[in-house]
Amino acid sequence: MPPKHFLQFKDLSLEEYDYLFERASRIKQAFKQYKPYRPLVDRTLAMIFDKNSTRTRLSFEAGMDQLGGSSIYLSTRDTQLGRGEPVEDAARVISRMVDIIMVRTYEHELLQRFADHSNVPVINGLTDEYHPCQILADIFTFIEYRGDIQGKTIAWIGDANNMCNTWLQAAEIFDFKIHVSTPPGYDIEPKQIGLRNTSHFEDFVSPHDAVKNVDLVTTDVWTSMGFEAEAEQRNADFAEFCVDAEMMALAKDNALFMHCLPAHRGEEVAAEVIDGPQSVVWDEAENRLHTQKALLEYLLMGKVENS
Ligand code: CP
Ligand code: NVA
């Protein structure tokens, strides 16, 4: 049996997400009560970083430690991966020595090749195209605040990037709607990200129209890692896409605001929004820890009895 990977959001089913959220909730509760839970003793996670990270590294490393296992940080800057060792060879070797692997890299295709040659589960810690671990935490956070996400409407404002693509995949699984507003020339590519139909998203030219009556407003940096050469052009193209208080006021009164972080106040989001009462960004960041612990447990142990 090939190992079960988590490379794109659509790799898991609604039933598996329901299970993961139930486990994440219990794991979070135990953690808050200082109750030790160490099912992963003697298990090792290798984390390969080809791009910078604060939250992803910390949440995987702390999470693995809290579950009784250990983790190893590998950077392409100081491993043979950065000197041209074929990704297939690296996957074969690394997966013989550890139990599970997380990779943060550029092209998704590279991650797919790595996973195809790994004997153990591989988790996508962010690629140019997708960021499934973040959306796992985001939907868990939404449910904590507002209950079921099915039938709700979410506004995505800004770049059609890895976060946006992953929200779009999630909408099909959880059956919610996304209003997408991106500047001309930065459009979403539904076919390329494997969307089955168009009924779960709607394009809006105006970000103000996109946020009307939605349950959640979310955005991300205008220039993602790897696209720095375009930053100046992007700053000009995205100038009208800052989520500010005026824009938030068009959403439902109880609408939440999310951002995967790191954020640039005054660019994609105004300080008054990200630091305001509708923002749940700190819970969103913390929930990376709890949801990924549930994911690690599931990929390594399958379904466990609730404890
Ligand atoms: N949100 C997120 O993935 O943050 P890092 O880049 O700090 O890991
Ligand atoms: N879209 C951003 C997310 C960072 C967590 C990037 O890829 O840089």
Side-chain angles (χ1 to χ4, degrees):
M1 275 267 285
K4 194 169 181 63
H5 303 304
F6 186 53
L7 306 183
Q8 301 189 33
F9 207 79
K10 62 180 176 148
D11 288 349
L12 300 183
S13 66
L14 180 60
E15 188 268 325
E16 286 173 304
Y17 284 114
D18 286 344
Y19 168 79
L20 283 179
F21 290 155
E22 169 68 22
R23 288 300 301 155
S25 217
R26 285 178 186 268
I27 287 169
K28 180 173 182 175
Q29 218 174 345
F31 174 75
K32 298 281 178 189
Q33 293 167 353
Y34 295 98
K35 282 191 189 150
Y37 176 57
R38 303 191 200 286
L40 300 186
V41 171
D42 288 340
R43 304 291 190 107
T44 308
L45 163 74
M47 302 185 295
I48 302 169
F49 282 94
D50 206 1
K51 292 180 176 178
N52 290 29
S53 169
T54 299
R55 280 146 287 268
T56 302
R57 177 178 178 181
L58 187 60
S59 51
F60 271 109
E61 200 164 325
M64 202 59 192
D65 189 55
Q66 290 158 18
L67 292 171
S70 58
S71 55
I72 298 169
Y73 173 83
L74 298 164
S75 157
T76 44
R77 282 187 287 273
D78 52 19
T79 57
Q80 301 292 4
L81 275 164
R83 297 182 59 248
E85 180 166 16
V87 67
E88 293 81 2
D89 293 358
R92 289 183 183 106
V93 171
I94 297 168
S95 69
R96 283 184 179 222
M97 299 189 193
V98 301
D99 302 279
I100 189 161
I101 303 168
M102 188 238 76
V103 181
R104 169 170 284 198
T105 189
Y106 291 86
E107 301 90 9
H108 192 80
E109 189 261 332
L110 199 73
L111 173 72
Q112 186 65 58
R113 275 166 50 208
F114 187 98
D116 290 345
H117 293 84
S118 168
N119 293 321
V120 302
V122 176
I123 299 172
N124 179 356
L126 181 146
T127 58
D128 287 349
E129 290 87 347
Y130 304 109
H131 197 2
C133 291
Q134 184 67 54
I135 302 303
L136 187 67
D138 292 7
I139 294 180
F140 179 75
T141 308
F142 184 90
I143 294 170
E144 278 190 324
Y145 273 91
R146 297 284 181 260
D148 207 352
I149 198 165
Q150 186 188 19
K152 299 287 197 304
T153 307
I154 286 142
W156 175 268
I157 307 300
D159 191 19
N161 64 10
N162 42 14
M163 284 290 297
C164 176
N165 290 343
T166 314
W167 270 115
L168 287 162
Q169 286 195 352
E172 291 199 334
I173 296 167
F174 284 87
D175 189 23
F176 56 82
K177 185 98 191 262
I178 311 239
H179 289 180
V180 182
S181 187
T182 59
Y186 296 90
D187 312 299
I188 58 168
E189 297 182 37
K191 281 220 179 78
Q192 214 156 308
I193 56 174
L195 297 190
R196 287 193 301 270
N197 55 59
T198 54
S199 63
H200 289 93
F201 69 87
E202 195 175 336
D203 272 314
F204 289 79
V205 174
S206 152
H208 292 91
D209 290 341
V211 299
K212 275 183 195 149
N213 286 322
V214 301
D215 300 279
L216 166 68
V217 179
T218 184
T219 187
D220 188 13
V221 291
W222 292 340
T223 303
S224 287
M225 291 180 278
F227 296 83
E228 287 81 1
E230 300 172 14
E232 205 179 310
Q233 182 65 50
R234 284 171 169 266
N235 285 349
D237 294 343
F238 285 80
E240 302 304 317
F241 288 75
C242 174
V243 179
D244 56 16
E246 191 197 330
M247 204 185 278
M248 275 309 284
L250 299 168
K252 280 188 183 157
D253 287 346
N254 72 345
L256 301 174
F257 173 79
M258 287 191 193
H259 189 308
C260 66
L261 306 175
H264 295 105
R265 287 169 177 76
E267 291 184 18
E268 75 276 4
V269 62
E272 61 196 358
V273 172
I274 195 168
D275 300 319
Q278 289 167 281
S279 170
V280 293
V281 297
W282 314 121
D283 289 330
E284 184 188 355
E286 179 192 320
N287 281 333
R288 291 289 303 275
L289 174 70
H290 311 303
T291 50
Q292 285 165 199
K293 283 166 79 176
L295 178 69
L296 288 165
E297 179 195 61
Y298 180 55
L299 294 179
L300 285 169
M301 299 169 66
K303 288 188 179 166
V304 299
E305 291 287 314
N306 271 324
S307 53

